Amino acid sequence: MTPTDTDTRPTERNRDERTAEDGNFGRFGGQYVPEALMPALEELEDAYRRYVLENEDGFMDDFRRRLRDFGGRPTPLQRADRLSERYGREIYLKREDLVHGGAHKLNNALGQVLLAKYMGKERIIAETGAGQHGTATAMAAAHLDMPCEIYMGRTDVNRQRPNVFRMRINGAEVNPVDAGRGTLKEAISETMRDWSQTVEHTHYVIGSVVGPHPFPAMVRDFQAVISEEAREQILEETDGLPDSVVACAGGGSNTMGAFAEFIPDESVSLVAVEAGGSSLEVDEAAGVAPNSATLSTGEEGVLHGARTTLLQDSHGQIMESHSVSAGLDYAGVGPELAHLVDIGRVTPVNVDDRVALEAFHRLSTEEGIIPALETAHAFGYLHAVGTDADTALTDADTPPVESDDPLGETIIINVSGRGDKDLETVIEQTAEMGLEAAPDMSVFDGGLR
Ligand SMILES: *Cc1c(COP(=O)(O)O)cnc(C)c1O
């Protein structure tokens, strides 16, 4: 690599710009929590500053060593040959699907459980929706010998059995939550309740760049290893910066992790791909948004301790969201991402369930990588922009993606996770939508039931 003015240690380079000392990202962020939680947040802020920002007791060195030896980092930045050929661009994949556990989620879970250990905490709790964050937290807790309890909505427990098995096998307790619809929102409330009563000895591992300060900043810093590596790797490989970085956004942790080091690089466009679900039309009366396109269509409000962009009705009630991908199915988004969109640094786009499913099959057959359904949304966007809009959007009702092209020639796509967890959903949904890409399953006697 030839030395350039961008060739400096990224962590030092970007530290000040990354940190929001007071937890405010423009109008967004903050600490909208009950009084009972304030001591916990103050203690955590202090620990975040000392251990993460100032590397007290060599915390960050310990963290990086464990990311390497337990987590399998650094992950490769791989040139995607057939996709590059198909779209006539240089496409690079940041392979977070190769992190232990199959997704970027371990970066954060390991960081927070280790921090809890340094803080002298004796118990870990976490919420989970689809079960991916619960699984990563259970793995990290087993690795660091910490007792672990996961709150999960009753509905989610029943529909995410493999992840419940994984958590139990790693030794974690799984506490089903019966309130409301029995999904992520209720699980978060229940975990907050537990934490406010147990804070002296318990740490709450939040699963994305959401929640009250210091969680959004801290989770971003743990996930920023993605762009710290990717920036060095692309400079090494191409002698220059990419034109764009593309990542899917649910809460936004893989997104912020993939973007963090590139934020000061003004020539690099940052594209967050949300779930367009089945439609962008909102049924206000029923309180349902059949999508999770929070950044593209949401409005400012307060959820789970932070001011951010939300899917809410005109009375401020949180709407029920939808996506074929459970990990993107969330009515909120991280406050920093909301701010970066607000100031025009990040471009929010969305693709629907169908485009994501087609992209899932394309990446699997053309690159030999079975992506998570969340990740498939990022590839769906590449396809929609990279080819003629008419062929990309197979459904006339599909909301069009932006017609202008923010991607440019050299593109890094963050492969946030692998899709083994999604195979059943994919087989079912591709058949239901009658997609041509659906592989023929007549190999089974009598076909698939
Ligand atoms: C959970 C998950 C996501 C969405 O979460 P973010 O916080 O938005 O990153 C994306 N991809 C995969 C593979 C996931 O497991």
Side-chain angles (χ1 to χ4, degrees):
M1 178 167 79
T2 48
T4 64
D5 57 349
T6 49
D7 177 22
T8 53
R9 279 231 44 89
T11 314
E12 269 59 64
R13 186 180 77 99
N14 195 4
R15 176 69 77 205
D16 288 344
E17 286 170 81
R18 265 202 218 160
T19 310
E21 290 274 333
D22 58 357
N24 292 310
F25 305 98
R27 310 196 295 286
F28 302 100
Q31 294 178 319
Y32 296 82
V33 297
E35 203 56 42
L37 272 182
M38 281 313 291
L41 293 181
E42 279 161 18
E43 188 189 348
L44 187 60
E45 266 184 82
D46 180 58
Y48 165 56
R49 186 179 47 73
R50 290 194 287 124
Y51 294 117
V52 180
L53 299 180
E54 294 166 12
N55 194 26
E56 191 172 304
D57 297 344
F59 172 84
M60 285 303 281
D61 304 319
D62 191 0
F63 174 50
R64 293 213 172 89
R65 185 175 56 79
R66 288 173 196 275
L67 275 180
R68 185 190 67 197
D69 299 345
F70 180 65
R73 304 206 72 93
T75 59
L77 182 75
Q78 178 214 338
R79 183 178 183 276
D81 294 336
R82 287 182 69 193
L83 291 184
S84 295
E85 194 181 330
R86 175 192 268 271
Y87 302 119
R89 307 178 191 219
E90 287 298 305
I91 296 164
Y92 289 88
L93 310 180
K94 182 56 176 162
R95 297 290 307 275
E96 293 300 294
D97 57 315
L98 297 179
V99 175
H100 179 45
H104 69 290
K105 285 201 165 68
L106 182 73
N107 302 330
N108 169 45
L110 187 62
Q112 286 199 52
V113 177
L114 188 64
L115 185 67
K117 194 125 198 155
Y118 275 61
M119 291 170 75
K121 302 291 178 191
E122 290 160 6
R123 174 175 173 261
I124 294 299
I125 55 173
E127 87 295 340
T128 198
Q132 294 301 106
H133 173 57
T135 303
T137 304
M139 271 167 31
H143 169 66
L144 290 162
D145 190 21
M146 293 276 263
C148 176
E149 287 180 46
I150 306 291
Y151 288 93
M152 189 170 185
R154 175 78 67 183
T155 311
D156 287 336
V157 168
N158 290 324
R159 66 183 173 188
Q160 309 289 348
R161 287 163 53 97
N163 277 334
V164 175
F165 293 146
R166 275 181 211 122
M167 288 182 256
R168 296 288 297 124
I169 283 171
N170 275 139
E173 296 292 334
V174 176
N175 302 327
V177 178
D178 286 313
R181 289 167 59 220
T183 60
L184 179 62
K185 190 152 73 76
E186 293 83 22
I188 294 178
S189 304
E190 202 52 42
T191 321
M192 292 242 181
R193 198 162 304 139
D194 178 320
W195 199 34
S196 63
Q197 289 158 11
T198 57
V199 54
E200 305 95 80
H201 57 80
T202 296
H203 176 68
Y204 173 13
V205 179
I206 282 189
S208 190
V209 287
V210 300
H213 179 63
F215 283 108
M218 182 173 72
V219 175
R220 172 206 61 205
D221 286 353
F222 289 142
Q223 291 291 358
V225 65
I226 300 171
S227 52
E228 286 166 13
E229 289 174 6
R231 193 172 181 282
E232 277 190 8
Q233 288 165 322
I234 196 85
L235 283 170
E236 181 112 21
E237 180 83 15
T238 69
D239 247 348
L241 291 168
D243 295 310
S244 60
V245 180
V246 184
C248 64
S253 69
N254 89 92
T255 334
M256 283 310 307
F259 292 172
E261 285 301 311
F262 293 103
I263 290 171
D265 299 319
E266 282 168 26
S267 66
V268 180
S269 56
L270 305 174
V271 181
V273 187
E274 300 190 291
S278 54
S279 158
L280 290 187
E281 292 296 312
V282 163
D283 184 345
E284 170 104 8
V288 174
N291 62 69
S292 309
T294 318
L295 291 166
S296 322
T297 69
E299 290 182 33
E300 205 173 314
V302 171
L303 178 66
H304 298 138
R307 173 167 293 277
T308 187
T309 304
L310 303 171
L311 296 177
Q312 56 188 334
D313 67 17
S314 50
H315 306 291
Q317 291 296 316
I318 305 305
M319 287 198 281
E320 202 177 296
S321 56
H322 162 80
S323 168
V324 68
S325 133
L328 299 185
D329 192 349
Y330 179 57
V333 67
E336 186 172 14
L337 206 46
H339 169 64
L340 290 170
V341 167
D342 194 45
I343 62 172
R345 182 65 189 94
V346 167
T347 307
V349 297
N350 60 83
V351 302
D352 69 9
D353 290 347
R354 172 183 292 262
V355 173
L357 276 165
E358 284 171 346
F360 175 98
H361 289 295
R362 200 175 303 113
L363 198 68
S364 301
T365 52
E366 294 191 8
E367 293 288 342
I369 296 170
I370 298 178
L373 267 176
E374 291 83 5
T375 314
H377 285 72
F379 288 96
Y381 182 69
L382 170 72
H383 187 69
V385 169
T387 51
D388 186 89
D390 292 339
T391 57
L393 303 175
T394 50
D395 180 354
D397 297 331
T398 303
V401 291
E402 254 96 308
S403 55
D404 50 334
D405 175 358
L407 296 184
E409 275 306 302
T410 307
I411 305 165
I412 294 179
I413 300 188
N414 193 39
V415 185
S416 55
R418 67 174 187 229
D420 308 46
K421 67 186 176 62
D422 295 319
L423 294 183
E424 215 154 309
T425 307
V426 167
I427 299 293
E428 217 176 85
Q429 290 291 313
T430 29
E432 196 160 300
M433 290 186 196
L435 296 188
E436 271 172 40
D440 179 358
M441 289 291 167
S442 60
V443 57
F444 293 104
D445 289 338
L448 259 196
R449 295 177 304 105

